[in-house]
Amino acid sequence: MHSLRQFLAGRQRELPQDTIQGLDIALRECPSEKYVSISRSFFSKAFGHGGDIGSGVECWRGYYQSLRATQMGLSLNIDISATAFYKAQPILDFALEYLNIRDTSRRLSDQDRIKLKKVLKGVRVVATHRRDIAIRYKITGITSLPLNDLTFDQDGTRVSVVQYFKHQYNYCLKHIHWPCLQAGSDSRPTYLPMEVCNILEGQRYSRKLNERQVTSILKMACERPTQREGSILEVVNRNNYGNDHCAKEFGIKVTNELALVDARVLPAPTLKYHDSGREKVCSPSIGQWNMNNKRLIDGVSIKYWACVTFASRLHPNDVRMFCNNLVGACNDIGMQINGRPCVDVGQARPDNLEAALRNTHRQSAQILAQQGVTSPQLDLLIVVLPDANASFFYGRIKRLCETELGIITQCCIPKNVHKGGRQYLQNLALKINVKVGGRNTVLEDALNRRIHLLTDLPTIIFGADVTHPAPGEDASPSIAAVVASMDWPEVSKYRCLVSSQGHREEIIADLFTQVKDPQKGLLHGGMIRELLVSFYRANGSRKPSRIIFYRDGVSEGQFSQVLLYEVDAIRKACASLEEGYLPPVTFVVVQKRHHTRLFPEDHRAQGQTDRSGNILPGTVVDTKICHPSEFDFYLCSHSGIQGTSRPTHYHVLFDENNFTADALQTLTYKLCYTYARCTRSVSIVPPAYYAHLAAFRARHYLDDGLSDQGSSSVASSRQQDRAAPVKQLPKVMESVKQFMFYC
């Protein structure tokens, strides 16, 4: 306890994790007896507001609880949470729901069997065929053979599973065309017919949710600030920490009211648009603005474009009209787009997607070559996605166009093409402009060199993120993305590099690399070095004199690792370019996945909330709930739309530029108004946001087919994965990479 007091007083740097963990366990003991405990959260049907979200899965509500060291001392962080659970039901019912089939008399296809195997692996079931005893099992796989073909060795004789159940339990199995669940290991399997197994209650569904499930769970979890505050206080009162016997024994007392913290609201920056528009500058109001009477500061010219549609329900004439309207919307806000495509709108079936895209690319190249164009390449390809399974085809389109054909694409969903509303067209125009090398708006203070520690010296701003494969995808690599600003002092154009690395590895492996070449000796490379060289070329042969690095996706337990390896990689990348080149670095971790919520002190007070009842954009908190001795702050940079806004937590791990709290908070908030895809300030700083988008885009570059690889045993499959080489990403073509293609 002494070391904890020293840490809270700022006299000790190292957090006494063991002490806090011990106290945290004491506070979790009583709830663990009453609720289902998952990580730091507790769930129960008793909390209500849950329900079916489809495909054999349901939503349970609960709460998150964590003991944290803050400037106020020890604080208990509580927030409302919701997650997906397997529905407690017979396995057969789950299979029908999950696979969306009705007829159990037909055999399962191989594809459906593999899907079912993946989703049921690790699930606990209870067998119902014995009246005298209920035995529980953990599913390790599904047999490739159906029940009526399945035999096992009993006392030297081959016995079928169907016969065994009839003789041993007097149980006639009905669904003998379906495969069997398998428990135990591959060498000593236990076969369990699906019809005699029920899923046990209280098991978290950790697979990736589909779009419908995500929508349903968000609806159930979504609460306005007043409701959420009430729900949190209800949890505190229900837990009655004052009468918690474990807490009493450890001398822990918990107040049953929220902490009151001081906050300030930063002013919104002024945005600069083109002088040819009626409104040359714009002052956003409550985190948003619009494009009325404004023209893009740097609208691009698109001479050669084409469109191909895979939507069977849309007539080509409707698509032509949509393209005309889109061209009009782009030209209205300051772009210069040729009114006619270089080839007529092509229509194709989704199963002929690749051939259709290659054909459009070849046709347009031929026509441009005939016209004498020196580099016959489309500036833009508009693609109308198929009516069904759009996200799957989206990935295939992006992979082909960005890594093989070298074309910038803009994909559109058929229902949006059909509606073709003004706002939708305007949003598409903003995306298209930056994708082909333009700029939508810039900070007026950046143009006038008035941003402290940014506009005085050439400064590069990096954003980095790592995305990990969905649970259950044991063989997929993690993907790292790093973006860097190329236009100083405006800092609105970001070049991006992506790289695959080991499964679920958080530290970015390719920030700096060294390879020994027999002829050339030691060759330096890596993402940081390449982006520094790109900055040098884009800014008149000037090297960055300052580096600001926003790193997304790092948890507190990984801070020291990230600091040790990634800051070192930045240093080495700089030194490899020129001896003695060591620009000062500020390294900031960006955290969105936390459970701190900020509520207005008075929900009814005018001027304290936006229209959704949330705190105002620009609200910053850097006292009381922050770290006892380190440089961190919470910034809510966006206006709420629905539910309760989550502020972003910025934690400065390393700062050689000597930022004051005010200077870094102001810079970060101003940058949130430069996000290219919308006319709103965004919730996380754009370089981190762009890195997040780029990493997700690169996930599409990996083939994602179903395979029946790997053992049914979880442990052995993981060992195989570690030994397997990391699947490399295909290279993004230079004609695409030079632009913000990931937007």
Side-chain angles (χ1 to χ4, degrees):
M1 291 302 287
H2 172 72
S3 59
L4 178 59
R5 288 193 188 96
Q6 291 291 95
F7 175 80
L8 293 171
R11 290 192 287 270
Q12 178 182 315
R13 185 145 181 82
E14 197 65 36
L15 175 72
Q17 194 63 54
D18 292 351
T19 311
I20 289 180
Q21 202 173 349
L23 296 171
D24 201 31
I25 289 167
L27 272 174
R28 298 173 67 79
E29 183 60 27
C30 282
S32 297
E33 293 167 4
K34 293 187 282 185
Y35 310 127
V36 175
S37 172
I38 293 171
S39 186
R40 291 176 178 269
S41 295
F42 298 100
F43 297 94
S44 170
K45 284 189 168 180
F47 289 112
H49 303 288
D52 197 321
I53 59 170
S55 302
V57 183
E58 61 189 7
C59 169
W60 284 24
R61 292 257 297 190
Y63 69 95
Y64 168 91
Q65 176 181 303
S66 171
L67 201 58
R68 304 181 60 79
T70 65
Q71 291 172 24
M72 297 185 293
L74 276 185
S75 304
L76 189 62
N77 182 197
I78 289 180
D79 188 24
I80 299 304
S81 54
T83 197
F85 280 78
Y86 286 92
K87 223 191 290 182
Q89 61 179 339
I91 283 276
L92 264 182
D93 293 352
F94 173 84
L96 295 176
E97 246 190 287
Y98 184 74
L99 299 171
N100 195 21
I101 53 178
R102 289 178 187 166
D103 187 4
T104 55
S105 63
R106 291 172 59 188
R107 286 183 70 153
L108 272 189
S109 69
D110 266 358
Q111 192 178 19
D112 280 345
R113 181 181 59 79
I114 293 163
K115 270 189 191 173
L116 203 57
K117 176 183 172 180
K118 281 186 173 181
V119 79
L120 288 175
K121 196 172 182 181
V123 172
R124 297 188 313 278
V125 295
V126 60
T128 59
H129 60 285
R130 290 178 65 173
R131 290 175 189 170
D132 56 330
I133 187 169
I135 306 176
R136 298 179 174 203
Y137 297 93
K138 189 175 186 178
I139 299 170
T140 54
I142 290 181
T143 61
S144 49
L145 293 171
L147 258 175
N148 55 351
D149 294 345
L150 204 59
T151 61
F152 64 97
D153 191 66
Q154 189 184 37
D155 303 328
T157 312
R158 296 307 291 177
V159 180
S160 78
V161 173
V162 177
Q163 286 172 336
Y164 178 78
F165 267 76
K166 176 66 180 159
H167 294 146
Q168 191 77 14
Y169 307 117
N170 195 25
Y171 194 102
C172 290
L173 295 169
K174 300 184 192 78
H175 304 283
I176 57 172
H177 298 297
W178 277 47
C180 209
L181 298 177
Q182 187 180 317
S185 65
D186 282 347
S187 55
R188 293 192 64 189
T190 301
Y191 296 125
L192 300 163
M194 289 190 195
E195 63 195 82
V196 303
C197 292
N198 288 354
I199 295 174
L200 288 164
E201 190 174 78
Q203 295 182 79
R204 187 187 181 191
Y205 180 83
S206 58
R207 310 288 177 212
K208 189 177 179 183
L209 298 176
N210 62 38
E211 283 175 33
R212 191 164 60 93
Q213 289 170 326
V214 170
T215 305
S216 302
I217 209 166
L218 285 175
K219 271 185 188 171
M220 290 172 192
C222 184
E223 284 184 322
R224 291 279 167 141
T226 44
Q227 293 170 292
R228 196 176 193 104
E229 187 179 327
S231 297
I232 290 168
L233 290 170
E234 190 185 317
V235 163
V236 174
N237 292 328
R238 182 196 280 250
N239 285 352
N240 194 6
Y241 292 104
N243 287 328
D244 183 322
H245 64 273
C246 282
K248 274 182 179 174
E249 279 188 41
F250 279 80
I252 301 170
K253 291 177 185 171
V254 181
T255 59
N256 60 351
E257 55 190 35
L258 300 183
L260 196 63
V261 297
D262 295 323
R264 60 200 184 101
V265 180
L266 301 174
T270 303
L271 302 174
K272 181 76 178 81
Y273 282 92
H274 199 272
D275 287 338
S276 62
R278 274 166 55 192
E279 289 185 27
K280 298 168 182 59
V281 291
C282 165
S283 299
S285 167
I286 315 183
Q288 48 197 318
W289 64 101
N290 57 48
M291 284 299 297
N292 296 347
N293 305 319
K294 301 176 192 71
R295 290 171 74 82
L296 303 172
I297 189 132
D298 186 7
V300 291
S301 169
I302 296 177
K303 284 186 182 176
Y304 313 115
W305 62 275
C307 175
V308 61
T309 173
F310 299 99
S312 57
R313 294 177 199 157
L314 282 176
H315 193 276
N317 284 341
D318 294 335
V319 178
R320 287 187 191 98
M321 192 155 75
F322 167 76
C323 288
N324 288 338
N325 293 340
L326 179 58
V327 167
C330 290
N331 291 338
D332 284 348
I333 59 170
M335 294 169 72
Q336 297 91 45
I337 301 189
N338 186 349
R340 294 187 63 180
C342 61
V343 291
D344 192 29
V345 172
Q347 186 163 29
R349 288 159 49 107
D351 56 8
N352 201 28
L353 182 137
E354 196 166 312
L357 293 172
R358 289 186 189 280
N359 189 40
T360 302
H361 179 242
R362 190 181 62 253
Q363 275 186 337
S364 55
Q366 285 171 353
I367 288 168
L368 296 178
Q370 286 164 12
Q371 292 175 9
V373 178
T374 48
S375 54
Q377 176 71 288
L378 282 175
D379 297 319
L380 175 72
L381 177 64
I382 297 164
V383 181
V384 182
L385 293 166
D387 305 291
N389 213 358
S391 59
F392 169 73
F393 290 108
Y394 173 87
R396 287 180 60 193
I397 291 162
K398 293 297 182 184
R399 179 190 166 101
L400 178 66
C401 292
E402 290 166 4
T403 67
E404 291 186 44
L405 304 180
I407 315 175
I408 294 286
T409 54
Q410 178 57 57
C411 293
C412 310
I413 296 170
K415 70 173 184 182
N416 291 338
V417 170
H418 180 68
K419 286 183 198 166
R422 180 169 168 267
Q423 188 62 56
Y424 175 64
L425 294 172
Q426 209 170 76
N427 286 347
L428 278 186
L430 294 177
K431 290 178 72 171
I432 289 168
N433 188 54
V434 293
K435 278 184 182 185
V436 289
R439 270 189 298 230
N440 295 345
T441 183
V442 294
L443 297 165
E444 192 180 38
D445 282 348
L447 286 178
N448 296 328
R449 307 284 181 96
R450 286 199 303 251
I451 301 178
H452 185 50
L453 291 175
L454 175 71
T455 53
D456 55 333
L457 294 169
T459 301
I460 187 167
I461 300 181
F462 285 94
D465 190 18
V466 177
T467 92
H468 303 294
E473 289 181 27
D474 293 337
S476 299
S478 291
I479 293 173
V482 181
V483 303
S485 59
M486 291 290 118
D487 56 338
W488 179 81
E490 294 94 340
V491 291
S492 60
K493 283 185 179 180
Y494 290 83
R495 189 178 173 97
C496 153
L497 297 173
V498 289
S499 168
S500 59
Q501 57 188 46
H503 179 73
R504 298 214 154 263
E505 278 181 19
E506 186 54 54
I507 305 299
I508 302 175
D510 288 344
L511 286 182
F512 177 69
T513 58
Q514 287 180 315
V515 180
K516 278 190 177 176
D517 184 272
Q519 276 80 41
K520 298 176 184 174
L522 199 60
L523 297 178
H524 301 294
M527 295 195 275
I528 298 285
R529 193 178 195 276
E530 189 178 328
L531 290 167
L532 287 171
V533 170
S534 298
F535 181 95
Y536 180 79
R537 289 173 181 156
N539 288 278
S541 300
R542 280 190 294 187
K543 297 190 297 292
S545 301
R546 183 186 294 120
I547 292 174
I548 301 167
F549 199 102
Y550 287 102
R551 174 68 157 92
D552 196 4
V554 181
S555 64
E556 286 172 15
Q558 296 163 323
F559 280 3
S560 56
Q561 258 187 308
V562 164
L563 190 58
L564 184 66
Y565 291 103
E566 296 189 2
V567 174
D568 184 53
I570 296 167
R571 287 241 181 284
K572 285 176 177 169
C574 294
S576 75
L577 290 166
E578 186 185 311
E579 198 176 336
Y581 174 52
L582 288 171
V585 176
T586 298
F587 194 99
V588 187
V589 169
V590 182
Q591 290 177 306
K592 199 82 172 83
R593 290 189 175 183
H594 60 79
H595 287 272
T596 301
R597 292 289 188 277
L598 302 173
F599 302 102
E601 186 182 359
D602 181 356
H603 289 277
R604 287 187 295 274
Q606 282 193 330
Q608 273 195 31
T609 64
D610 61 17
R611 272 185 295 183
S612 67
N614 279 289
I615 54 171
L616 294 168
T619 301
V620 68
V621 173
D622 56 10
T623 60
K624 283 193 175 179
I625 57 171
C626 293
H627 194 281
S629 57
E630 292 176 12
F631 182 0
D632 69 323
F633 58 90
Y634 289 92
L635 171 64
C636 181
S637 51
H638 66 298
S639 176
I641 298 173
Q642 60 174 7
T644 304
S645 296
R646 191 196 312 241
T648 299
H649 185 217
Y650 295 91
H651 200 124
V652 183
L653 296 190
F654 191 72
D655 180 28
E656 292 179 318
N657 290 300
N658 299 318
F659 271 97
T660 62
D662 186 57
L664 188 59
Q665 289 161 7
T666 303
L667 168 63
T668 303
Y669 183 50
K670 282 180 175 176
L671 288 174
C672 290
Y673 282 80
T674 64
Y675 184 64
R677 302 208 306 179
C678 58
T679 52
R680 299 176 69 93
S681 62
V682 286
S683 61
I684 64 169
V685 70
Y689 207 146
Y690 291 144
H692 183 72
L693 292 178
F696 265 85
R697 169 64 57 79
R699 177 79 48 203
H700 289 301
Y701 299 162
L702 296 167
D703 283 324
D704 199 21
L706 282 165
S707 66
D708 196 12
Q709 307 269 308
S711 156
S712 62
S713 164
V714 178
S716 59
S717 70
R718 285 203 176 141
Q719 282 161 7
Q720 285 175 348
D721 296 336
R722 278 204 192 100
V726 173
K727 188 171 185 182
Q728 293 303 303
L729 292 170
K731 286 206 163 21
V732 178
M733 302 281 281
E734 188 56 42
S735 56
V736 171
K737 194 163 73 169
Q738 62 179 322
F739 300 128
M740 292 171 68
F741 66 92
Y742 48 84
C743 272

